[in-house]
Amino acid sequence: MKQMGNLLISEPPLQVLPSLAVKVGLNEAIVLQQFHYWLQRSNNIRDGYKWIYNSFPNWNKQFPFWGLNTLKRAVTGLEKDGYLITANYNKAGFDRTKWYRIDYSKLDMSRPSTQNGSTNGSEWVDGTAQNGSTNTNRLPETTTETTKENSAAVAAPSSMELDFEKIWSAYPNKKGKKQAFNHYKAWRKKSAKHSNDYLFNQLKLYKQYIAQNKDWYRPMDGSTWFNGRFDDEYQVSTEQKHEGREYWTGG
């Protein structure tokens, strides 16, 4: 008989709060949670803060489901948005390895609830406590002893949030994400015909327009494009179609 269920959970899974994924992005939330996990165990204290450091190839071993470029985009986005603070405390001047810490002041630290899990004495990125023990170097695992109060902490992001993350990751100017998601959600709810396939097609045309006018045109903020501007008509030269296709990296 063929063995079944070998893709079901039999190792400590990665998990994040849905509210964090909405705030910073799903990939970014996974990175933040893992960095937070290691910061809690770090003995590298500089200027009054705990820091962690690693090379991208070594970080990537902790996220085997991503390509290296996907991880780099998530980390760079968190740096750009100010959630990750970087520094260089390397002894050798030629060593450019980045050191990281989280700017917890940018995250909601106000909710004093308790999350049962597998990491002794650590905290979630949003400041909630977590009890338990672990011998793994992965993120804390979910236990079956989840109370009604904290059950939302281990729920998966909604399908609409995941759909938004797919197209947001492809959009070239990631400003105003919260507003963009609100516009996206309202648009999706207006009609069953409003789909990601339509948006990806519009974004493909928009990226072709950007590529053909890159000398003078700057992509609009994400909060603006998702507010109905994806329906704008842009003149795209068919003669440069090959160039536009090379520029497009979306779905």
Side-chain angles (χ1 to χ4, degrees):
M1 181 177 179
K2 184 178 178 180
Q3 185 177 356
M4 303 294 289
N6 56 354
L7 291 180
L8 296 176
I9 293 176
S10 59
E11 58 181 307
L14 296 168
Q15 64 177 17
V16 295
L17 294 174
S19 56
L20 178 63
V22 171
K23 185 178 182 68
V24 303
L26 182 58
N27 289 357
E28 290 80 0
I30 293 172
V31 170
L32 267 185
Q33 181 63 68
Q34 188 73 331
F35 278 31
H36 172 72
Y37 175 80
W38 286 116
L39 280 167
Q40 297 302 301
R41 289 151 181 76
S42 175
N43 294 319
N44 298 311
I45 300 176
R46 303 288 190 279
D47 299 327
Y49 295 99
K50 287 186 175 183
W51 298 82
I52 54 175
Y53 60 87
N54 213 338
S55 66
F56 272 111
N58 283 331
W59 279 126
N60 203 202
K61 292 177 182 178
Q62 300 185 40
F63 308 100
F65 42 84
W66 288 337
L68 186 59
N69 288 336
T70 299
L71 174 60
K72 287 182 177 179
R73 282 196 298 269
V75 173
T76 301
L78 288 168
E79 289 182 57
K80 182 179 178 181
D81 293 339
Y83 294 105
L84 284 180
I85 307 298
T86 63
N88 186 335
Y89 294 106
N90 301 305
K91 294 180 180 180
F94 59 83
D95 190 347
R96 300 297 182 89
T97 302
K98 284 186 177 181
W99 293 48
Y100 297 94
R101 69 176 177 87
I102 295 173
D103 184 357
Y104 291 101
S105 65
K106 289 182 66 68
L107 300 168
D108 182 10
M109 303 286 287
S110 62
R111 187 163 57 90
S113 63
T114 298
Q115 166 69 38
N116 293 325
S118 58
T119 306
N120 190 24
S122 71
E123 295 180 343
W124 291 106
V125 173
D126 71 342
T128 57
Q130 184 179 5
N131 300 317
S133 60
T134 185
N135 294 317
T136 178
N137 62 357
R138 295 172 62 85
L139 284 183
E141 65 180 0
T142 303
T143 71
T144 56
E145 300 174 356
T146 304
T147 65
K148 194 175 201 179
E149 179 182 356
N150 61 39
S151 60
V154 296
S158 69
S159 60
M160 189 171 293
E161 291 168 352
L162 294 175
D163 285 348
F164 174 75
E165 287 298 331
K166 292 176 184 176
I167 192 164
W168 179 258
S169 66
Y171 191 77
N173 187 355
K174 294 176 172 52
K175 288 187 177 180
K177 182 174 184 178
K178 183 176 181 180
Q179 297 92 326
F181 177 64
N182 289 336
H183 294 318
Y184 172 86
K185 188 164 51 173
W187 178 78
R188 283 287 302 272
K189 289 181 178 179
K190 282 183 179 179
S191 172
K193 296 180 180 180
H194 291 177
S195 67
N196 262 27
D197 288 341
Y198 175 80
L199 285 183
F200 270 121
N201 184 61
Q202 295 301 100
L203 182 55
K204 180 177 180 178
L205 294 174
Y206 185 48
K207 281 193 169 184
Q208 289 175 349
Y209 177 82
I210 294 170
Q212 293 172 12
N213 298 280
K214 58 186 176 182
D215 291 338
W216 62 271
Y217 184 79
R218 177 181 177 276
M220 65 184 75
D221 292 355
S223 58
T224 302
W225 191 81
F226 280 89
N227 190 20
R229 295 295 299 276
F230 45 76
D231 281 328
D232 288 359
E233 295 185 5
Y234 298 96
Q235 297 297 323
V236 178
S237 172
T238 55
E239 294 179 359
Q240 299 184 35
K241 187 174 182 181
H242 180 67
E243 178 186 350
R245 195 177 289 146
E246 288 183 340
Y247 183 85
W248 165 246
T249 59

